[in-house]
Amino acid sequence: MTQGAGQEPVVRTATLRDFRVPPYARVPVQGHAAEPTSADQLPTPAPAAEHLPPAEPAAEAPAEAPVTTPVATPVAPPMPATAPARTVEAAPSGSLPVVGAPLSAPADPTLLLGRRVAPAYTGVTTSTTGSSIVSVATGHPGSAFPEGGLPEGYTPTERDLPIINRGDTVQVRVTPDAATAPDPAATTGDGPGPLYVVGDVHGYLDELVAALRAQGLVDENGGWAAGNARLWFLGDFTDRGPDGIGVIDLVMRLSAEAAAAGGYCKALMGNHELLLIGAKRFGDTPVNSGAGTATFQAAWLLNGGQKHDMDRLQDVHLQWMSRLDAVVLEDDHLLLHSDTTAYLEYGETIEDVNETVHEILNRSDADEVWDVFRKFTKRFAFRDEGGPQAVQELLSTYGGSRIVHGHSPIPYLLGQVGTEESENGGGPIVDGPHVYADGLAIAMDGGVTMAGKLLVVQLPLNG
């Protein structure tokens, strides 16, 4: 492209996105903000290319081209501190501004975009200052905001993933009794206790506490109540929801309490953990995205990054996330976050994969960390005709007879679309995990970010 006299080359930025975020929600990270100097730096609307199904149903998006439409690095002024939160309908698709149009913040920059507001955790008082680790006896199990209030600057994101309408898959109904705790004989014996997995949480702390209580894993104060039970989180604790740091604090605390009771609570590395680590460490440092120049800050904002989470992020959170494993094998179930075969690029054994990812994070090379994030952001490798073969490739390499993953929301795999005006209050219908790929894969992301369900399920599944 030939530049005019006196013009500098146009710098384009390509970023990976799960969901588009309204332009007024693109809040700069503290310490990395910069004012736009030209129209070229304003965001360009584009479809969530990271989620677009590949041209061939069985093919996964190539690693060299995570997005098809480069966009400019999104930069916007900080959110007003006094803007109240209210609920309105989601803006229609395609309503984002085009390049060259000025960014105008609405009167209320904390619009909820049709999302339901989660009820506050009841029965305890809440502290939102300092660390959000609160005593079981005196505070909320995480750091939820009091009286159903939302944090300053909370910006839920639009839900615009493509719909994959499949008629050959099975959804397992899970309707646990909220008052039923795990079998005492199973949780007090000498051997390992029952195994549970948790899908993507994305900052919805109240829903997480309710789901854990429904399975008898925590008590009314949010403390570990499952003895020697084993609990695995499949990753993606932050972004989009109101209290991502509170979720991390809760999981960290439950890990210590479960170990003291003879069980354990552990977590896997999700792509949003990699994204948050990168946004904190590297900010707006340019990285080679494989499709142009990108930054972690821009990608974090486009993927629903919340300023109040970044403000409360501490070294202890970064250290904990950096040590998470990417793949584990539990009771013949291969647990991983993303429905992708990209894990095979990091080693021929589970130990090799986890060691390689940890080494990359320890080296703190922005390009290397971005490459891991880019590959772990791929999805849909297990669907359609080639899905069973992709699952078998992972199982034959790492072991196990079934894969259990999060990352790709079940409502989109099932072709369900929730509407805010429906008689039952709106939202997709998710009763339980999604079993597919000839029964070899179990999807656990119930779509809590789109008014779906946060899943906590005991393995193996019955039926």
Side-chain angles (χ1 to χ4, degrees), residues 84-91 108 110-118 148 150 154 156 159 420-421 425:
R86 58 188 177 90
T87 302
V88 299
E89 294 182 0
D108 182 357
T110 57
L111 301 178
L112 297 185
L113 299 176
R115 195 74 46 77
R116 79 217 186 291
V117 179
L150 294 175
Y154 170 47
R159 41 188 187 268
E420 301 299 332
E421 296 80 14

Side-chain angles (χ1 to χ4, degrees), residues 218-229:
V218 300
D219 57 27
E220 62 276 8
N221 293 318
W224 182 258
N228 67 344

Side-chain angles (χ1 to χ4, degrees), residues 244-263:
I245 298 302
V247 171
I248 293 177
D249 283 338
L250 173 63
V251 177
M252 291 173 64
R253 178 170 60 74
L254 289 179
S255 297
E257 294 177 358

Side-chain angles (χ1 to χ4, degrees), residues 434-450:
H434 181 49
V435 182
Y436 67 118
D438 291 346
L440 296 174
I442 302 173
M444 282 291 299
D445 184 351
V448 66
T449 62
M450 57 190 71

Side-chain angles (χ1 to χ4, degrees), residues 10 19 54 58 112 129 134 146 213 246 295 299 302 312 369 393 444 459:
V10 177
F19 291 86
L112 297 185
T129 58
V134 183
R213 288 190 65 189
T295 73
L302 287 169
R312 295 188 297 152
V369 177
E393 187 177 5
M444 282 291 299
L459 298 177

Side-chain angles (χ1 to χ4, degrees), residues 238-315:
T238 67
D239 303 335
R240 303 195 187 111
D243 196 6
I245 298 302
V247 171
I248 293 177
D249 283 338
L250 173 63
V251 177
M252 291 173 64
R253 178 170 60 74
L254 289 179
S255 297
E257 294 177 358
Y264 61 71
C265 171
K266 300 182 180 181
L268 292 178
M269 174 80 70
N271 62 306
H272 280 259
E273 280 68 65
L274 291 165
L275 186 56
L276 184 58
I277 291 170
K280 182 66 173 181
R281 288 183 180 175
F282 309 117
D284 56 4
T285 301
V287 296
N288 182 9
S289 71
T293 303
T295 73
F296 271 104
Q297 175 184 333
W300 175 71
L301 291 170
L302 287 169
N303 282 280
Q306 301 295 317
K307 183 178 183 296
H308 61 273
D309 279 343
M310 184 63 73
D311 291 342
R312 295 188 297 152
L313 184 63
Q314 301 176 21
D315 287 343

Side-chain angles (χ1 to χ4, degrees), residues 21-28 34-45 72-79 95-107 109 301-302:
V21 68
Y24 55 79
R26 298 171 187 172
V27 184
E35 293 298 325
T37 57
S38 69
D40 292 324
Q41 292 177 291
L42 295 176
T44 302
T73 306
V75 181
M79 304 291 296
S95 61
L96 299 181
V98 296
V99 172
L103 286 178
S104 58
L301 291 170
L302 287 169

